[in-house]
Amino acid sequence: MTVFPKGFLWGGAIAANQAEGAWQADGKGPSLVDVTEHGIGKSEHDDAVLPGKYYPNHEAIDFYHKYHEDLQAMSEMGFNCFRTSIAWSRLYPTGEETTPNEAGLRYYDDLFATMKKLGMEPVVTISHYETPLALHDKYGGWTDRHLIDLYERFCRTIFTRYGDVVHYWMTFNEMNNTHTIPYAAAAIDLTGDTDHRTQQIYQAEHNMYVANAKAVKSARELMPDAHMGIMLSLSQAAVYPATCAPEDVFGAMQMQRRTFISADVQLRGAYPAYAKRIFAEHHFELEMGPDDLQLIHDYPSEFLGFSYYRSSTYAAGTPLYGDTGGAVGKPNPYLKATDWGWQIDPLGLRWMCNLVQDRYNCPMFIVENGLGMKDTVSADGSIHDPARSDYLKAHVQAIGEAIKDGCNVMGYTWWGPIDIVSAGTGQMSKRYGFVYVDKDDEGHGTLARSKKDSFKTYRQIIATNGENVFTD
Ligand code: BG6
């Protein structure tokens, strides 16, 4: 008996905006990220593209023109799936056109066909921090209900076009990050006092819940066999109380609920009881359409996709700090941290799998996990990155243990199997890849690709269907 089931999905994940570049090619319109310099996770952005300024995502790693070569490398590692997103503004440059941009559609036709040819199931995030900029400028992002119908049109277009080849879909990347990185996750610039900010966050999330339900409804009609999932960051749900003081323990639970509310609504089909109190204490009521709750009830999602990079620690009274990895309170003295301060905790991943299993009893897909670190290229061109291999093995082992615990894990996609632009910082030097890309933080480099030592590590893991992490 092997630990990982037959057909387990092994692969890697990227987002269109962090890899493709080609920000204006073939009719693409600007998205949120195209006016950010130091990462979309920072929420600071220009109002428009400033002439002569360097924007790291404009070229990114030019995956738009190099995906044949890049997917070939992924296939050499044995990937049987690959996760990416569809850049909304490549298809609908302002988000409001009534017909999609055919050149954009053709690009994804070939991208998915290439994956299929190489034996990889495409796994698609419909919206990954890349709302068309025009929708932010005109409507102020997801706090406005206009986005629901525009998103539905986008979904119907891609379901109709790609429904035969794409069977795994997730509607919004890390929706719960609206709390920590609202510009990225919900295209909003938070304004006003605490009550008003909280209202904006929950209103944006509500509108996205409705959009999710409408996407599930469209999917049932247009591609009945598709698997429809949500996607959340669980790094901030793996939250330990800093002490056994009841305030720390209870506060940690409340912090978890801030994440799980999204899953409670979209997987169970209704707002949980605790939501009412959050809204009341912040003096607002959600604006809802007459059919919203019925739609949410009738069209729940089927699986929970999640990212997990690190765990968090909650101490009552300590202000929370947030970035792309989610929210953290105090540093955890029992864990080591990366150069970017992300604390490494494989057991936290096993915990999250078990929590999801207990709470929702649904299939789960670990669609992001990885280690962002600096890499050094040796004189002979080799790149030795044992820390990345260790991180990978430890987390795959944790997933194996979770499966032995009884968790229904569908697959695992390492974040950034090829170096891409960091969402949190805009850096290239925060590298996750098994494949190195020759480009620095100022945009210099040849864009040449080369394999790191960890490439082999992942290839071996996949070749043994995860067994070698228990025996080697
Ligand atoms: C997740 C995002 O939050 O974390 C990705 O879905 C992101 O877009 C990843 O790249 C890692 O974060 P960062 O800031 O290191 O790129």
XYZ file of all heavy atoms in Angstrom, residues 15 18 83 128-129 173-174 177 181 231 233 307 309 324-325 342 368 372 415 420-425 430 432, ligand 1:
238
model
N 1.199 32.238 -11.337
C 0.070 33.097 -11.702
C 0.459 33.827 -12.977
O 1.640 34.177 -13.162
C -0.213 34.101 -10.599
N 2.567 37.032 -12.659
C 3.910 36.946 -12.090
C 4.892 36.281 -13.050
O 6.092 36.256 -12.796
C 3.873 36.187 -10.766
C 3.183 36.983 -9.666
C 2.946 36.167 -8.408
O 1.831 35.732 -8.145
N 3.985 35.950 -7.627
N -0.597 24.401 -12.513
C -1.591 25.425 -12.165
C -1.124 26.793 -12.645
O 0.004 27.199 -12.401
C -1.785 25.468 -10.645
C -2.630 26.641 -10.174
C -2.748 26.702 -8.653
N -3.429 27.923 -8.260
C -3.001 28.760 -7.315
N -1.902 28.520 -6.643
N -3.670 29.860 -7.046
N -6.350 35.642 -10.129
C -5.210 35.566 -9.204
C -4.564 36.947 -9.085
O -3.592 37.245 -9.771
C -4.199 34.538 -9.705
C -3.114 34.216 -8.698
N -2.745 32.932 -8.379
C -2.323 35.008 -7.935
C -1.775 32.952 -7.473
N -1.493 34.214 -7.192
N -5.105 37.797 -8.253
C -4.524 39.122 -7.997
C -4.341 39.917 -9.296
O -3.360 40.653 -9.433
C -3.154 38.976 -7.300
C -3.162 38.342 -5.941
C -1.961 37.980 -5.315
C -4.334 38.109 -5.244
C -1.943 37.411 -4.049
C -4.321 37.539 -3.970
C -3.121 37.191 -3.387
O -3.104 36.626 -2.128
N -8.004 33.544 -6.095
C -6.827 33.205 -5.304
C -6.908 33.848 -3.918
O -7.110 35.067 -3.801
C -5.563 33.712 -6.006
C -4.290 33.261 -5.308
O -4.023 32.062 -5.217
N -3.519 34.200 -4.781
N -6.751 33.039 -2.889
C -6.593 33.527 -1.511
C -7.553 34.667 -1.168
O -7.143 35.758 -0.772
C -5.158 33.994 -1.269
C -4.147 32.901 -1.487
C -2.719 33.273 -1.164
O -2.357 34.446 -1.314
O -1.945 32.400 -0.773
N -7.226 36.764 1.917
C -6.182 37.785 2.028
C -6.732 39.194 1.812
O -5.976 40.169 1.884
C -5.040 37.507 1.051
C -3.966 36.628 1.678
O -4.040 36.316 2.864
N -2.980 36.239 0.910
N -4.093 42.014 2.354
C -3.623 42.676 1.128
C -4.839 42.956 0.217
O -5.024 42.321 -0.818
C -2.520 41.836 0.420
C -2.901 40.353 0.271
C -1.213 41.933 1.178
C -1.891 39.565 -0.589
N -10.173 28.894 -3.158
C -8.742 28.883 -2.838
C -8.485 29.898 -1.723
O -8.859 31.061 -1.846
C -7.969 29.242 -4.103
C -6.477 28.957 -4.101
S -5.541 29.768 -2.793
C -3.905 29.713 -3.361
N -5.719 31.162 1.646
C -4.414 31.071 2.308
C -4.633 30.486 3.701
O -5.320 31.087 4.534
C -3.802 32.466 2.433
O -2.841 32.459 3.466
N -3.187 27.556 -0.066
C -1.749 27.782 0.014
C -1.342 27.596 1.470
O -2.117 27.883 2.389
C -1.396 29.191 -0.452
O -2.016 30.160 0.368
N 2.432 28.221 3.538
C 3.875 28.476 3.538
C 4.463 28.435 4.931
O 5.629 28.120 5.106
C 4.170 29.881 2.970
C 3.842 30.001 1.510
C 2.571 30.401 1.089
C 4.789 29.696 0.550
C 2.269 30.500 -0.255
C 4.503 29.790 -0.801
C 3.232 30.194 -1.203
O 2.939 30.282 -2.528
N 1.822 38.687 1.805
C 1.246 37.635 0.962
C 1.090 36.308 1.713
O 0.243 35.498 1.363
C 2.132 37.377 -0.292
O 3.500 37.526 0.068
C 1.776 38.305 -1.415
N 1.925 36.105 2.731
C 1.815 34.861 3.504
C 0.684 34.908 4.509
O 0.455 33.938 5.224
N 9.633 34.245 7.023
C 8.512 33.300 7.010
C 8.931 32.056 7.797
O 9.922 31.411 7.450
C 8.123 32.934 5.559
C 7.521 34.085 4.784
C 7.744 35.420 4.981
C 6.613 33.997 3.681
N 7.034 36.170 4.068
C 6.329 35.323 3.259
C 6.012 32.937 2.996
C 5.467 35.605 2.186
C 5.158 33.221 1.932
C 4.884 34.543 1.534
N -0.438 25.638 -3.275
C 0.749 26.488 -3.116
C 1.466 26.093 -1.842
O 0.865 26.029 -0.765
C 0.381 27.966 -2.985
C 0.121 28.657 -4.290
C -0.095 30.152 -4.131
O 0.597 30.778 -3.312
O -0.973 30.679 -4.833
N 10.746 30.669 -0.579
C 11.370 31.789 -1.284
C 12.719 32.085 -0.653
O 12.788 32.380 0.541
N 4.729 26.068 -5.231
C 4.634 27.429 -5.759
C 5.918 27.823 -6.470
O 7.019 27.685 -5.942
C 4.350 28.453 -4.649
C 4.319 29.831 -5.244
C 5.263 30.810 -5.130
C 3.314 30.367 -6.125
N 4.906 31.923 -5.864
C 3.712 31.668 -6.493
C 2.117 29.860 -6.651
C 2.961 32.476 -7.352
C 1.367 30.663 -7.502
C 1.790 31.947 -7.836
N 9.851 33.287 -10.514
C 8.924 34.288 -11.052
C 8.997 35.541 -10.172
O 9.725 35.554 -9.179
C 7.467 33.759 -11.130
C 7.029 33.186 -9.770
C 7.328 32.718 -12.215
C 5.588 32.693 -9.745
N 8.244 36.558 -10.513
C 8.264 37.798 -9.728
C 7.487 37.574 -8.425
O 6.377 37.033 -8.443
C 7.603 38.951 -10.522
C 7.622 40.242 -9.702
C 8.296 39.149 -11.861
N 8.050 38.017 -7.315
C 7.362 37.867 -6.029
C 6.141 38.785 -5.977
O 6.219 39.971 -6.322
C 8.324 38.216 -4.892
O 7.596 38.567 -3.734
N 5.030 38.216 -5.517
C 3.813 39.033 -5.387
C 3.942 40.011 -4.227
O 3.432 41.117 -4.262
C 2.598 38.142 -5.182
N 4.651 39.585 -3.208
C 4.725 40.417 -2.008
C 5.713 41.561 -2.105
O 5.531 42.600 -1.471
N 6.764 41.369 -2.911
C 7.832 42.372 -2.923
C 8.205 42.879 -4.318
O 8.956 43.841 -4.431
C 9.121 41.786 -2.301
O 9.599 40.735 -3.160
C 8.874 41.226 -0.909
N 13.672 36.828 -4.589
C 12.955 35.906 -3.702
C 12.515 34.733 -4.586
O 11.423 34.714 -5.147
C 11.749 36.601 -3.060
C 11.132 35.778 -1.940
C 9.976 36.477 -1.247
C 9.475 35.646 -0.081
N 8.195 36.128 0.450
N 11.686 30.853 -5.787
C 11.054 29.606 -5.350
C 11.416 28.435 -6.267
O 11.148 27.283 -5.951
C 9.527 29.751 -5.380
C 8.962 30.638 -4.288
C 8.912 32.020 -4.434
C 8.478 30.100 -3.104
C 8.396 32.836 -3.436
C 7.958 30.895 -2.100
C 7.917 32.266 -2.264
O 7.418 33.062 -1.274
C 0.667 33.597 -2.305
C 0.205 34.087 -3.640
O 0.161 34.454 -1.359
O 2.015 33.595 -2.008
C 1.272 34.128 -4.724
O -0.903 33.364 -4.107
C 2.583 34.548 -4.116
O 0.829 34.971 -5.745
C 2.976 33.543 -3.048
O 3.605 34.718 -5.040
C 4.332 33.781 -2.430
O 4.414 35.094 -1.976
P 5.618 36.025 -2.408
O 5.294 37.339 -1.824
O 6.828 35.400 -1.824
O 5.634 36.040 -3.892
